[in-house]
Amino acid sequence: MPGLLLHYGALMMCAHPPGLVTIPAPVQQRVRVGADPVATSADVFLVAGCGFPATVPGAPPCTSVTWLHTSTRVLVGGLPVLLQPTPPVSLAPAIGVGTPPPNPPMVQAVQPRVRGM
């Protein structure tokens, strides 16, 4: 399935606002879209500020995201790049799983120009 290349500066939220999903340190720095490194399957996604414990007392908050939608044709340093399915780009559920599962993240802003398969 084609999609837009995910990058270090993409704006992502966990399934429970106001949780923010980030890549603390991109694994590769050489291949970029705009000024941001492209995300690969080796990148780790962390969640900060998950709102789930506030809505369900005693429930664990989201802590990380495992991205499941990788490219089969586009590799960076031998690693598949991560893709965000299109359309729609805005507020589309990502192909990823939060920890604790299922809790898919929501991608709110990603670069719109570079696509992969």
Side-chain angles (χ1 to χ4, degrees):
M1 177 187 323
L4 296 171
L5 268 64
L6 199 63
H7 57 89
Y8 175 70
L11 178 60
M12 298 174 278
M13 305 290 284
C14 86
H16 314 103
L20 183 62
V21 179
T22 60
I23 303 171
V27 171
Q28 69 84 29
Q29 297 283 329
R30 295 182 71 162
V31 179
R32 297 173 178 265
V33 286
D36 297 315
V38 172
T40 68
S41 60
D43 284 308
V44 175
F45 293 83
L46 298 179
V47 179
C50 175
F52 191 54
T55 58
V56 181
C62 296
T63 57
S64 65
V65 171
T66 302
W67 210 263
L68 303 176
H69 190 166
T70 61
S71 174
T72 56
R73 296 185 180 183
V74 182
L75 303 175
V76 171
L79 299 168
V81 298
L82 304 182
L83 301 175
Q84 169 61 23
T86 57
V89 175
S90 176
L91 299 176
I95 305 296
V97 176
T99 302
N103 303 327
M106 299 295 286
V107 175
Q108 297 190 342
V110 66
Q111 61 78 31
R113 301 184 104 182
V114 185
R115 297 178 183 274
M117 283 189 92

